[in-house]
Amino acid sequence: MVISAPSGGGKSAIRAEIFKKDKRFKFSVTCTTRKKRKGEAEGRDYCFVSEKKFKKLISDKKLLEWAKVHGNLYGTPIKSVLDILKEDKIPLMTIDVKGARAVKKYFPDAVTVFILPASLKILIKRLKLRKEDKENIAIRLETAKKEIKEASFYDYFVVNGSLKKAVENIIKIADGESLKMHRNKDAVSKFREELLAFNQMRRYGGY
Ligand code: 5GP
């Protein structure tokens, strides 16, 4: 599942709450060249790398996608996603629009969710609370304008008015998606195979 929201849209809070509430999800940690913010931890929020290391990850083809956002580089390591899928969990990616498009191309089964705060006033208030300077706020609002233009690419839209409601809605999306037939083909074929074996046994009087 890919979640995108403008900077200040409440992605991190939503993410933290999802992991508390639903153990099916696991965070797919991405790499960035941006500086660590207060309260962030290496390996939990991001894998913080130098520009040199980031470029090596690109040339070694270790990234599923990467993008320059607000002047910093961000990228999703392929391995982090594949490891989570191997555990039969849902990789949760909180990445930008360009990243979401790339993930959908690589994994057509990916589910994309676009999140917006309840109002522009709230978005600006959140950015100010983060102590972003005026120039940074302007850059982020400019990016938000471009991202919102691409919102129709996403499969789902969630308003982050109340955090509780937003998280409930994302969990509902995962519930609905997990019930789709194309995600349950293995369970259906297993049932069918058992039924065929059972019928065969019955034909030869073995039950
Ligand atoms: P922030 O610096 O506020 O944590 O993130 C800035 C933006 O970069 C957000 O929109 C976030 O979703 C996006 N982002 C974070 N990691 C990645 C990534 O690996 N790839 C892409 N394309 N965007 C990312």
Side-chain angles (χ1 to χ4, degrees), residues 66 97 111 123 149-150:
W66 65 273
V97 177
V111 176
L123 181 70
K149 236 170 120 183
E150 298 200 49

Side-chain angles (χ1 to χ4, degrees), residues 11-175:
K11 269 186 315 263
S12 317
I14 288 180
R15 196 170 79 200
E17 205 56 26
I18 290 175
F19 295 130
K20 253 196 248 160
K21 289 239 161 75
D22 195 326
K23 300 296 170 210
R24 285 174 300 178
F25 289 95
K26 209 163 169 188
F27 182 43
S28 153
V29 182
T30 61
C31 296
T32 183
T33 58
R34 109 151 141 65
K35 286 202 183 77
K36 206 191 284 176
R37 281 192 201 123
K38 215 174 148 207
E40 285 184 333
E42 164 67 33
R44 187 194 64 195
D45 299 284
Y46 280 110
C47 137
F48 295 93
V49 296
S50 64
E51 199 149 327
K52 193 172 165 209
K53 174 93 192 283
F54 197 97
K55 287 191 173 146
K56 176 102 173 67
L57 290 173
I58 299 174
S59 60
D60 289 348
K61 302 203 174 355
K62 295 267 168 70
L63 301 179
L64 192 165
E65 60 79 36
W66 65 273
K68 197 169 196 169
V69 189
H70 313 136
N72 297 300
L73 297 168
Y74 295 84
T76 309
I78 300 170
K79 193 175 178 302
S80 71
V81 182
L82 293 179
D83 285 352
I84 299 172
L85 288 173
K86 260 189 230 149
E87 281 181 57
D88 220 12
K89 298 235 172 189
I90 307 169
L92 186 68
M93 292 175 244
T94 50
I95 61 180
D96 80 334
V97 177
K98 186 171 172 245
R101 283 190 185 275
V103 170
K104 193 88 177 182
K105 217 168 175 183
Y106 198 95
F107 295 108
D109 250 10
V111 176
T112 52
V113 183
F114 193 77
I115 295 174
L116 278 180
S119 70
L120 177 63
K121 215 167 142 189
I122 293 172
L123 181 70
I124 295 171
K125 196 171 145 200
R126 286 212 192 113
L127 289 172
K128 282 187 177 161
L129 274 176
R130 262 199 206 164
K131 305 226 177 328
E132 298 280 3
D133 58 39
K134 269 193 175 154
E135 193 192 339
N136 255 332
I137 293 182
I139 295 174
R140 279 155 207 269
L141 291 178
E142 197 48 44
T143 310
K145 207 167 81 186
K146 287 183 199 144
E147 287 184 339
I148 290 170
K149 236 170 120 183
E150 298 200 49
S152 59
F153 154 78
Y154 286 79
D155 301 314
Y156 295 93
F157 173 59
V158 168
V159 177
N160 183 16
S162 115
L163 176 65
K164 189 169 171 269
K165 187 92 190 118
V167 170
E168 274 171 13
N169 279 335
I170 292 171
I171 291 173
K172 271 190 212 158
I173 293 171
D175 289 342

